[in-house]
Amino acid sequence: MADVLGGTARLTVDTYDRFLAGEPLTTYVRPPILDSWRRCRSLGLLPDWPEIPFRGDPAAAERLLRAAAPVLDRFESTIADSRVAVALTDADATVLHRRAGDPSLRAVLDDLLVVPGFSYAESDVGTNACGTALVERRPCLVLGAEHFAERLRPYACAAAPIRDPVSGRIEGAVDITCRQDDANPQMEALVRRIAADIEGRLLARYREREQALLRAYARAGSRVRPADPGPATLLTPDAAVGSGDLVRLREQATRLISAPGRGAVEVPLTGGGAAVLHSRPVSGPGGIAGVAVEASVSPTPAAGTGPAVADGGANSSANGSGGHGGTPGTGSAATGSAATDGTGTDDTGTGGAAGRWLLLVGEPGVGSLAVAARRRLDLLYEAGVRIGTTLDLRRTAEELARVAVPGLADHVTVDLPDCVLEGEEPGPAGPDAELRRTAAVGLAGDCPFYAVGELVRFIPDSPQARAYTGRRAVLEPRLAESSGWTAQRPEESGRILGFGVHSLMSVPLRARGVVLGVASFYRLRRPEPFEDDDLSLAEEFVARAAVCIDNARRYTREHATALALQHSLLPHRLPGHNAVEVAHSYLPSHAAVGGDWFDTIPLSGGRVALVVGDVVGHGLHAAATMGRLRTAVHNFSALDLPPDELLTHLDDLVGRLDEEAGGGDGGGGGDGVIGATCLYAVYDPVARRCTLARAGHPLPALVAPDGTVDFPELPAGPPLGLGGMPFETAELDLPEGSRLVLYTDGLLQGGAHDPVLGLERLRGALRHAGPTARQTRDAVLDALPATDPHDDVALLVARTRAFGPAQVAEWEVPAAPAAVSAMRATALRQLTAWGLDDLAFTTELVLSELVTNAIRHATGPIRLRLLRDRALVCEVADGSSTSPRLRRADSGDEGGRGLFLVARLTQRWGTRYTPRGKVIWTEQPLPDGPLPAPAAA
């Protein structure tokens, strides 16, 4: 408070001049005051003293005056010798009553027309505590230079609205005024206490009226005519009426009290039987009109009756609670019929049924408020159930709008900044709110509201901008009088009002200290404007939705991060192969990023490895694990391991990763690899043979050149990471033009999530697919269900090619040193036939070294093979399993330089093991570039 008092001293005439000119302010002005100034400027007010209007006779607020009088009397006694004044106004800021302890202050207030009948509404006088508090609908403190009118700047004021504790409506306001030099930090707290005391008096008046009705009901029982068959007595409820039954009976009784006319309703009881409720008028002293509801219990429900209400339609309202319940016990009671003389006696001569007891007494107006309160509770419950069912931002915004229509509003819009829709943290809000219309529910057709998806720039004075930048809800009960809303779209505001739109609430979406957007609630079909209770309910709706939207925003950000990580780890472009024609696709799950991956890896001898894998789970951890496993497969494939050995190494790696994540004790508790599957296949285009092994992965599909579809049986290995079980391979001879389809289990789980149905759907798609790999991939994807995938889908289609005699040359090598020169000459003739004379010299040196080493250090049989693929491949196979090693020879060594020369003269070289020995291979780039892939058969 001291900071506020000091801050107002820094406001100068230049502050007002800059503000009225629309220039940026150099002095800090509190947000509520700045908002009020903006409203005053939009209304065309000037700091000059205005002509204060006289609104009329304050006797119209007699109820408020009567409740406030004792409170003001107590306060007056405390300010008798102080320079403080207190004023009471109605809901329109018209002064009803004023008291001041200091005569000089009274004279000043008279001069300022702070007297009964004159209006101090913000729209008339500008920024002042009383008028601004009623506009803001909350306590307000205005100190000195914060007043908009110059004549009010020597004074400090604090005001608080006074609400009816039952209806929640603002009945008026109480204001404390003193000179600026006498301002006290406790002013605002004091005015809050005065308003609370007056509200307590209003509530006590309701209790007094209910007690008067109950006494009138009891007195009516002593005047029952003797001819009546029997009175309704204040009996203890039947034992069949449990506590839960009593709650439901009182809810139905409240409906009867709030409904016009007499009525009756039958309510089934949980223990069997039914209770019948009857309502009838009761009149108290002073013209108080109420309704009494009596109940009687019958063993079985009446035939053909149900919970219907006569003459009142009470069941048309929602459940409620209210009124004053009679306490079961002994005493006199009235008959169960209507009275015409205001005493509760019967005008028909019929009395109540025996065993009838009083359930509830209350006023219809209060009962209606209780029903409305119950309806609000039902709406809150519905909001808790229906808002936030998904982690989709737009869906959550739409759920918020749908919950509020039509129970609270007739049209609801939700606007969010683009950064929130993209999952980012929103920055500080500027004076202009630039938001995107995310959801709109209610009005349709040609009503000129902004369309969903449209970018909206709200001006600073608009209710939406004030709610978004000010971080608090804004209520415009009479929209036609809102200059800021009209200025937003001057050409369209008239059309919107022509549709009947007359009231607006704008509520910021706040979660975890961040404003995420704004929700706007419009009313047009119901004539009554929005009230504070409606605003509180809207704030509850929006608060729940804001947390859900923030969760969805954080999920969107994490999902985008995981997706970016996964895309960076997946192959962007598969390497070219002459062995297969490849088509691939990856479909991420809309729910969460998974760990599916695929790959094609060039191997020696023109072969190619086809890989598809799946890490169990979703999110960043699954994507990161997928990247580690994909890198490991590349490293193991560089060793030219057979598929079963490669999966064994991969299984050991996954086990080690799990141990590291669990701290090495096997206890878990970390983010280890909780499961992974993999299928690894190696295709040899020379032998036209494919060797496959799988670790818990679905079977591949094989499409023969004639279109026959099969799922070849492969040995089933355990998922990666279990350990202890060997993996086995299977070999398939594939005619040229065969299509091998590898996939993850997400492809089979679409739609009904039935793998068997998924396999049949895949079989049907492959049966009707075109012959190329791309056509096959497209046919499989087109057969997927239209619903969003619940799991990632990785698909790899490989159409096999074959290397014919024009690309392969192979010879037996005699195990004699003299055969080396003959092999060189034979290989050079083949190179000449292929037009590769430019590679003759290096090939001659490479062959001499490899063949000589095989003859000297290995066992037979020895074979030499040349392949003309994307590079010139030279292979020397022998029967030994000993692999040569590259080393740097010392200056005195007579040998050890051969492999060094081979490594320098070729692009790549290596060793791969076979069941009968090993193969030493080299690759040299072709002079004219890679050989193009052979034409499709």
Side-chain angles (χ1 to χ4, degrees):
M1 181 70 177
D3 293 340
V4 175
L5 293 174
T8 58
R10 294 191 290 270
L11 299 180
T12 62
V13 175
D14 178 65
T15 305
Y16 300 100
D17 293 340
R18 294 178 67 88
F19 173 78
L20 293 175
E23 299 177 3
L25 297 179
T26 57
T27 305
Y28 173 75
V29 180
R30 292 187 292 136
I33 302 301
L34 187 58
D35 287 343
S36 177
W37 286 6
R38 287 170 177 162
R39 291 192 294 270
C40 296
R41 182 178 60 186
S42 65
L43 291 171
L45 298 180
L46 296 174
D48 300 332
W49 184 243
E51 182 176 345
I52 300 179
F54 182 77
R55 295 300 185 191
D57 186 5
E62 180 183 355
R63 175 171 167 267
L64 177 61
L65 280 168
R66 219 180 304 162
V71 179
L72 297 181
D73 289 341
R74 291 197 304 270
F75 180 72
E76 186 178 24
S77 64
T78 63
I79 63 171
D81 299 325
S82 63
R83 292 178 294 183
V84 177
V86 60
L88 182 71
T89 74
D90 65 8
D92 295 322
T94 300
V95 179
L96 302 177
H97 191 71
R98 189 204 73 194
R99 302 188 186 189
D102 181 59
S104 63
L105 185 58
R106 284 199 298 270
V108 169
L109 296 179
D110 290 341
D111 185 49
L112 295 175
L113 296 180
V114 185
V115 293
F118 285 90
S119 170
Y120 258 73
E122 187 183 76
S123 57
D124 295 326
V125 185
T127 304
N128 70 92
C130 183
T132 303
L134 289 171
V135 172
E136 297 281 338
R137 311 181 79 83
R138 60 175 180 167
C140 181
L141 177 69
V142 182
L143 300 168
E146 293 179 335
H147 288 91
F148 195 79
E150 293 179 355
R151 288 191 61 184
L152 296 178
R153 291 174 187 169
Y155 306 97
C157 309
I162 301 171
R163 287 179 169 83
D164 187 307
V166 175
S167 69
R169 297 187 184 93
I170 291 180
E171 299 289 334
V174 61
D175 173 278
I176 295 178
T177 301
C178 65
R179 290 183 175 86
Q180 170 68 8
D181 295 338
D182 296 329
N184 189 287
Q186 300 300 320
M187 287 179 61
E188 187 172 358
L190 179 59
V191 79
R192 286 175 184 265
R193 287 201 300 271
I194 296 174
D197 290 345
I198 296 175
E199 291 171 355
R201 292 282 303 169
L202 289 172
L203 182 60
R205 296 280 298 171
Y206 280 108
R207 297 194 185 100
E208 293 170 2
R209 294 168 68 92
E210 289 176 357
Q211 291 295 330
L213 288 174
L214 187 59
R215 287 192 295 269
Y217 176 88
R219 284 196 303 271
S222 63
R223 296 194 296 272
V224 177
R225 292 190 297 273
D228 290 339
T233 57
L234 288 171
L235 299 175
T236 303
D238 192 281
V241 181
S243 58
D245 291 326
L246 278 175
V247 172
R248 287 189 296 275
L249 291 178
R250 288 184 178 126
E251 290 175 356
Q252 294 290 345
T254 305
R255 294 183 182 182
L256 288 172
I257 291 174
S258 64
R262 297 177 58 190
V265 63
E266 183 179 81
V267 182
L269 301 177
T270 55
V276 180
L277 309 184
H278 299 268
S279 67
R280 62 185 182 84
V282 176
S283 296
I288 302 175
V291 176
V293 178
E294 298 167 333
S296 61
V297 177
S298 60
T300 58
T305 64
V309 177
D311 301 331
N315 276 333
S316 62
S317 301
N319 291 347
S321 59
H324 189 97
T327 303
T330 61
S332 59
T335 61
S337 10
T340 60
D341 59 358
T343 63
T345 55
D346 194 351
D347 64 340
T348 64
T350 59
R356 187 178 298 175
W357 45 277
L358 176 65
L359 179 63
L360 211 61
V361 171
E363 295 181 80
V366 178
S368 299
L369 295 172
V371 170
R374 180 65 184 218
R375 185 182 299 115
R376 291 188 177 97
L377 290 176
D378 291 341
L379 285 173
L380 280 177
Y381 171 78
E382 188 176 1
V385 172
R386 292 175 54 188
I387 297 176
T389 60
T390 69
L391 286 173
D392 183 87
L393 273 167
R394 291 173 174 82
R395 177 73 177 275
T396 304
E398 186 175 342
E399 289 171 345
L400 164 62
R402 291 195 179 280
V403 163
V405 175
L408 176 62
D410 299 309
H411 185 74
V412 177
T413 62
V414 180
D415 304 300
L416 305 175
D418 285 336
C419 58
V420 171
L421 293 172
E422 295 166 1
E424 300 300 326
E425 189 91 7
D432 295 324
E434 188 172 271
L435 308 174
R436 191 168 299 278
R437 180 60 46 87
T438 308
V441 174
L443 287 177
D446 56 352
C447 188
F449 281 107
Y450 292 106
V452 174
E454 189 173 354
L455 188 64
V456 184
R457 293 177 176 85
F458 292 105
I459 63 174
D461 291 339
S462 66
Q464 288 83 356
R466 287 158 51 200
Y468 182 68
T469 59
R471 304 168 65 92
R472 58 185 179 83
V474 174
L475 174 61
E476 296 286 358
R478 292 176 287 274
L479 195 57
E481 301 175 7
S482 174
S483 56
W485 178 81
T486 305
Q488 173 69 33
R489 300 177 74 188
E491 68 285 356
E492 302 293 350
S493 58
R495 291 185 58 200
I496 295 176
L497 293 174
F499 272 82
V501 178
H502 62 85
S503 194
L504 166 67
M505 299 183 294
S506 292
V507 184
L509 288 148
R510 292 182 300 173
R512 302 178 178 97
V514 177
V515 179
L516 304 171
V518 63
S520 300
F521 302 80
Y522 297 87
R523 180 168 284 179
L524 66 147
R525 295 186 177 91
R526 281 177 283 181
E528 64 273 11
F530 285 123
E531 299 175 345
D532 288 293
D533 284 349
D534 298 315
L535 186 63
S536 299
L537 181 60
E539 288 178 317
E540 286 286 346
F541 279 4
V542 172
R544 298 183 184 205
V547 173
C548 297
I549 287 177
D550 191 51
N551 290 339
R553 178 191 66 81
R554 292 166 180 260
Y555 168 78
T556 300
R557 180 179 60 188
E558 180 181 343
H559 182 74
T561 302
L563 195 60
L565 172 64
Q566 187 182 48
H567 283 176
S568 68
L569 297 174
L570 286 171
H572 296 281
R573 185 178 61 85
L574 294 179
H577 305 283
N578 286 345
V580 291
E581 170 199 351
V582 174
H584 60 86
S585 181
Y586 172 75
L587 300 178
S589 166
H590 289 274
V593 174
D596 296 15
W597 89 93
F598 59 89
D599 232 327
T600 62
I601 306 172
L603 301 177
S604 63
R607 300 169 305 135
V608 61
L610 308 172
V611 191
V612 169
D614 184 4
V615 176
V616 175
H618 296 88
L620 285 171
H621 175 62
T625 302
M626 175 271 292
R628 300 172 79 176
L629 296 185
R630 178 172 177 256
T631 301
V633 171
H634 271 266
N635 292 334
F636 292 145
S637 65
L639 301 176
D640 263 323
L641 298 175
D644 54 341
E645 293 186 24
L646 185 141
L647 290 182
T648 300
H649 286 287
L650 199 61
D651 180 63
D652 292 340
L653 173 65
V654 172
R656 289 197 299 273
L657 293 178
D658 277 338
E659 290 180 3
E660 292 174 4
D665 57 0
D671 290 333
V673 185
I674 60 175
T677 66
C678 183
L679 191 151
Y680 187 84
V682 176
Y683 174 67
D684 187 345
V686 178
R688 305 181 186 182
R689 181 174 295 113
C690 185
T691 306
L692 307 92
R694 64 185 181 118
H697 204 79
L699 292 170
L702 179 62
V703 186
D706 61 0
T708 304
V709 180
D710 187 24
F711 293 91
E713 287 294 335
L714 303 181
L720 298 174
L722 296 183
M725 296 290 292
F727 297 97
E728 301 179 47
T729 61
E731 292 188 348
L732 304 175
D733 291 324
L734 304 181
E736 186 174 9
S738 300
R739 284 162 287 163
L740 191 63
V741 181
L742 311 182
Y743 52 88
T744 56
D745 58 357
L747 187 71
L748 306 178
Q749 294 179 359
H753 305 283
D754 188 341
V756 176
L757 294 178
L759 283 175
E760 291 305 315
R761 183 179 64 246
L762 177 60
R763 185 190 299 273
L766 295 175
R767 188 179 294 118
H768 299 94
T772 68
R774 185 180 298 272
Q775 290 172 331
T776 303
R777 177 202 62 189
D778 294 343
V780 172
L781 296 180
D782 291 342
L784 284 175
T787 57
D788 294 340
H790 296 276
D791 195 6
D792 291 18
V793 175
L795 176 64
L796 181 64
V797 180
R799 183 177 183 272
T800 62
R801 300 187 180 113
F803 289 177
Q807 292 179 260
V808 182
E810 189 172 7
W811 304 275
E812 290 279 351
V813 179
V820 176
S821 59
M823 288 297 99
R824 285 200 305 264
T826 301
L828 292 178
R829 287 194 297 271
Q830 185 63 54
L831 292 181
T832 301
W834 284 343
L836 299 178
D837 292 325
D838 293 344
L839 299 179
F841 177 72
T842 55
T843 303
E844 186 176 9
L845 291 177
V846 168
L847 289 180
S848 295
E849 175 64 24
L850 296 183
V851 173
T852 300
N853 281 346
I855 293 174
R856 285 183 176 180
H857 306 294
T859 59
I862 302 173
R863 299 187 63 83
L864 170 64
R865 187 169 75 169
L866 299 180
L867 280 76
R868 187 189 179 199
D869 187 18
R870 302 178 68 85
L872 177 63
V873 180
C874 302
E875 296 182 343
V876 175
D878 59 51
S880 171
S881 59
T882 302
S883 175
R885 291 182 298 146
L886 179 66
R887 63 184 181 90
R888 183 179 296 275
D890 294 335
S891 57
D893 293 342
E894 295 184 0
R897 297 177 177 83
L899 282 181
F900 180 77
L901 291 175
V902 169
R904 297 288 295 175
L905 294 174
T906 60
Q907 186 179 40
R908 294 198 308 156
W909 78 279
T911 303
R912 73 172 181 268
Y913 294 94
T914 67
R916 292 179 295 276
K918 68 176 183 297
V919 176
I920 309 296
W921 55 269
T922 66
E923 290 184 3
Q924 302 175 68
L926 300 179
D928 298 329
L931 186 69

